[in-house]
Amino acid sequence: MRVVQAYRFALDPTPTQERALRSHAGAARVAFNWGLARVKAVTAQRAAEVTYGLTGDELTPSISWSLYSLRKDWNAAKGTVAPCWAECSKEAFNTGLDRLAQALKDWDDSRKGKRKGKAVGFPRFRSKRKSGLSVRFTTGALRCEEIPNPRYLSCALRKLKRLSRTVSRRHGPDRRTGRRPSNRWRRASAALGKAHGRVADQRKDSLHKLTSRLASEYATIVVEDLNVAGMLRNRRVARHVADASFGEFRRQLGYKAAWHGGRVIVADRWFASSKTCSGCGAVKAKLPLSERTYACAACGLVLDRDVNAARNLAALGRRELAGSGPDSNGRGAGRQTSPGVQVAVKRQPGARKRGQTGTVPTQEGTAA
Ligand SMILES: [Zn+2]
């Protein structure tokens, strides 16, 4: 089995290196904006020509939005558009053009209904001030020396509050009056951005640790296919869903389980894990999220809502495994696993208090 693995490094560049990195990220932005301007100009030109009554071959030829064509056009134009293009790696320009091709495709797919989730807007020009600095190098050998600096920040929330208060007290930009932000605002807002970035990193770190542990400890993991895009549209649960990084959690579990030879079983969205009684199989018509205990009207079973759902998912996992042969979990024979299915469930948003991981690992025996 072929496994693709990624590594993350923090770089600690010298000032000269930092300047070079910034200039490469800028080059990616320049290529992106150049391509977008061209696409927009051709589209607008054709639209105008149609209103003059021109058709077919009389129109300005349309241009391809593929990365291949964008790159070809860029290479033809770079001498005049960016005379000092040779100072940056071609990878920098390729980054910008690749992003543009992807953004145009996402917009097109979304418009045609081929793309799930929220509607994607037409790509916008990247601002020098607002857009994040990033660039990708996809070919050649990369070497780096990294200096790890793990420092734990426990009072992140308090710090964020304090920093955003500071930002709001400074003179920020105002689009209506054209007021430019003060330097003190810039500094404060940079500090706030940095603190937010750190929280995001910490969240990523704990999510990775959690999924790594689950993937290495359990042979079979059952997760529910929750309608994430749909739930993000529901204001009341949106923050919790986003906070729990659902989609990312499932994605990580998927590939990490594959590394360990385990498997992830996805219970489909319509599987009534919470509403079904794990004792007798009766299904409730309604079960509000606020009801934390499951009480079955048919057999009188009373237990925790999440435990009940976990048992249902475990039963589903057993059925799946039984359906595809006894040895289908992919583990080698020497590996010791307890009989039955081990289930880890990431439950519904809002089910758990903030700060907890939202995981209910339960071990189930063979006898159900
Ligand atoms: Zn029951």
Side-chain angles (χ1 to χ4, degrees), residues 69-357:
S69 321
L70 287 170
R71 200 158 50 198
K72 207 170 148 205
D73 295 345
W74 166 256
N75 282 329
K78 67 186 175 188
T80 41
V81 183
C84 36
W85 58 269
E87 285 170 22
C88 285
S89 160
K90 68 178 165 55
E91 295 283 322
F93 303 109
N94 190 58
T95 302
L97 296 175
D98 186 28
R99 276 179 194 152
L100 177 62
Q102 189 61 49
L104 288 167
K105 183 178 180 295
D106 286 346
W107 171 74
D108 198 41
D109 285 353
S110 168
R111 191 179 52 150
K112 289 177 183 158
K114 277 194 269 175
R115 193 178 197 279
K116 278 193 218 163
K118 247 171 93 179
V120 176
F122 192 78
R124 284 182 288 186
F125 289 112
R126 298 203 167 216
S127 141
K128 191 172 189 172
R129 278 196 193 80
K130 279 196 209 148
S131 65
L133 293 171
S134 84
V135 64
R136 281 184 321 201
F137 295 89
T138 53
T139 53
L142 297 176
R143 279 166 221 288
C144 27
E145 283 177 36
E146 62 152 343
I147 300 163
N149 184 20
R151 226 183 286 161
Y152 192 64
L153 188 76
S154 59
C155 49
L157 257 184
R158 265 181 60 206
K159 189 171 175 175
L160 286 176
K161 267 189 188 164
R162 184 171 54 76
L163 286 170
S164 55
R165 211 157 46 223
T166 313
V167 171
S168 69
R169 283 177 187 151
R170 305 277 190 259
H171 274 257
D174 191 329
R175 203 181 281 175
R176 279 169 309 146
T177 59
R179 186 176 71 185
R180 308 274 292 169
S182 72
N183 282 332
R184 299 177 79 219
W185 181 89
R186 279 185 218 269
R187 277 200 298 273
S189 116
L192 178 63
K194 204 173 164 187
H196 271 294
R198 190 172 292 158
V199 172
D201 282 346
Q202 283 174 344
R203 186 178 292 161
K204 255 183 239 163
D205 180 59
S206 59
L207 193 62
H208 269 293
K209 280 176 182 155
L210 172 65
T211 50
S212 292
R213 187 171 68 74
L214 291 175
S216 64
E217 277 178 23
Y218 298 95
T220 304
I221 301 166
V222 184
V223 291
E224 278 185 283
D225 177 21
L226 299 166
N227 181 0
V228 175
M231 285 200 291
L232 282 174
R233 246 175 279 136
N234 178 342
R235 275 157 185 248
R236 272 188 291 181
V237 295
R239 198 187 57 183
H240 296 284
V241 178
D243 199 47
S245 330
F246 261 39
E248 182 62 10
F249 172 81
R250 214 168 52 195
R251 190 187 71 82
Q252 289 182 12
L253 265 189
Y255 72 74
K256 288 182 185 177
W259 290 348
H260 294 278
R263 64 182 269 188
V264 175
I265 294 173
V266 178
D268 83 67
R269 171 173 313 179
W270 312 116
F271 179 67
S273 62
S274 297
K275 290 178 188 161
T276 309
C277 170
S278 59
C280 69
V283 181
K284 283 193 180 195
K286 270 189 175 173
L287 184 70
L289 207 57
S290 55
E291 239 170 74
R292 304 314 310 157
T293 336
Y294 186 93
C296 180
C299 70
L301 179 84
V302 176
L303 81 174
D304 181 80
R305 177 200 181 96
D306 291 338
V307 173
N308 180 55
R311 286 192 181 169
N312 285 325
L313 289 167
L316 176 87
R318 268 194 299 276
R319 278 199 299 277
E320 284 273 318
L321 288 180
S324 50
D327 218 335
S328 60
N329 61 4
R331 292 273 195 195
R335 179 107 190 188
Q336 285 197 333
T337 47
S338 56
V341 184
Q342 291 142 352
V343 185
V345 192
K346 183 131 175 163
R347 290 294 306 148
Q348 307 236 18
R352 235 124 265 292
K353 289 188 197 107
R354 280 173 70 83
Q356 284 178 276
T357 54

Side-chain angles (χ1 to χ4, degrees), residues 40-55 59-60:
K40 278 185 148 179
V42 171
T43 314
Q45 177 65 25
R46 282 171 66 88
E49 285 167 358
V50 168
T51 65
Y52 305 153
L54 300 184
T55 47
L59 292 171
T60 301

